[in-house]
Amino acid sequence: MRGTAPPTVPGVVALIAAGQAELLDGRGLNTSYRVPWGGRSLSVKVHCAERSSAAEFRRIGSVDSALRGTAWYPPVLGQGFHGAERPRLVVVRPYAPGTPSDDARRHIGGVVDVLADLAARAQGVRAKEALVADYASPWLEGAPSERSLVDPLLTGEWRGLGRAMDTHLGELRRGARRLTSADGLRVHHGDLHGRNLISDGPGRLTVIDWDEAGFSRRPADAGKALWLSCRLGRGDFALDPRATGLFLGRLRTRLGIPYSGARDLARLGALWFLPRHDHVTLLGRRDTSLGTWYLGWVLRFWTRFRANLDLVARTAAALEAGAP
């Protein structure tokens, strides 16, 4: 019976096809559903066909093995491929009840605690090189090609994005390289910020959206979380000085990341806001409005980048001056 049997990919896909699942909001490439199964709810992620591969399957499974048993981690209950012509990867997890906060600054402590747990879980982890990558990898390994591919999309009102890339890319890559280690891996969530931390009461926290999870050789999660957790509001990329100080202080306390590395950490995180051709075009295929929405979103980031980077540097210097 479905009420007692473990969930299966064919079973949850059949419920989605029958209209018995709730489509969840999201602007990413993959599609999320809340699916009833017996007396509980499941979170089902249907990956886009272009990002569904055997490597993706192995990557999610390897991260799951590293994190199973962590209190805030929703384990994989089942995963597999669905469809014949263009199979899609389907990942089934427990559904996390609760509501995310629109103000990510409220969750800075939780974000950094999760970063510390990820670092601890990475001790002794071994992963094949094909599973080691993050948002910075394409820009460190093939920046000229990535820049050339996206250039035809950056016309008209998006020319400012092209100028920002040409102005800052070298600086960002140098900062990311300084934070890259040849030894040791980090378990990488890929999109760690306040809205992906779901609270369902005191002490009950679940980290959701593991689409981009894998392994990294640099603090890519922390770099991206700096920008997404410390801004004044969603859609606004002006950093909050107080939140920035809290974030950097907790990183130093929990993970030992020195204040002197804060500027490079911000540079590393900024690589995520560089538009890539395949990402923009795949968004457009899902919904014609998503591609232009995304370009406008990242353009707002770059119009504030230099002022925000200076704020990070000033905040880190003030913290270091007052550090015991």
Side-chain angles (χ1 to χ4, degrees), residues 2 17 36 70 76 78 88 115 128 132 143 147 167 173 180 208 217 233 244 252 257 262 302 306 308 317 319-320:
R2 181 171 295 147
T70 307
V76 173
R88 293 171 179 261
L115 287 169
K128 292 183 178 180
V132 181
R147 177 67 184 91
T167 299
R173 294 176 75 233
T180 301
I208 63 169
R217 298 193 187 281
T244 302
R252 181 178 180 272
I257 296 178
W302 289 107
R306 184 56 61 187
N308 282 326
L319 289 168
E320 190 165 37

Side-chain angles (χ1 to χ4, degrees), residues 12-13 15-17 20-36 41-48 88-96 191 195-196 208-212 286 290:
V12 298
V13 169
L15 290 174
I16 293 171
Q20 297 181 40
E22 175 189 356
L23 176 65
L24 302 177
D25 290 337
R27 287 174 166 168
L29 296 174
N30 303 326
T31 308
S32 299
Y33 297 91
R34 180 178 182 177
V35 178
S41 293
L42 304 175
S43 173
V44 178
K45 186 80 69 168
V46 180
H47 290 233
C48 68
R88 293 171 179 261
L89 178 61
V90 179
V91 182
V92 184
R93 301 178 187 269
Y95 180 81
D191 197 22
R195 284 191 61 81
N196 280 340
I208 63 169
D209 282 356
W210 290 87
D211 309 38
E212 301 173 31
R286 178 176 175 185
L290 281 179

Side-chain angles (χ1 to χ4, degrees), residues 63 65-72 111-126 184-189 192 210 215-216 221 251 254-257:
V63 169
S65 296
L67 296 183
R68 272 188 178 267
T70 307
W72 43 258
V111 167
V112 178
D113 287 347
V114 170
L115 287 169
D117 283 350
L118 288 172
R121 283 281 177 158
Q123 299 299 317
V125 166
R126 299 288 184 268
L185 293 177
R186 300 168 187 264
V187 181
H188 177 63
H189 175 275
L192 191 60
W210 290 87
F215 303 93
S216 174
D221 268 334
L251 276 184
R254 294 299 316 276
L255 283 95
I257 296 178

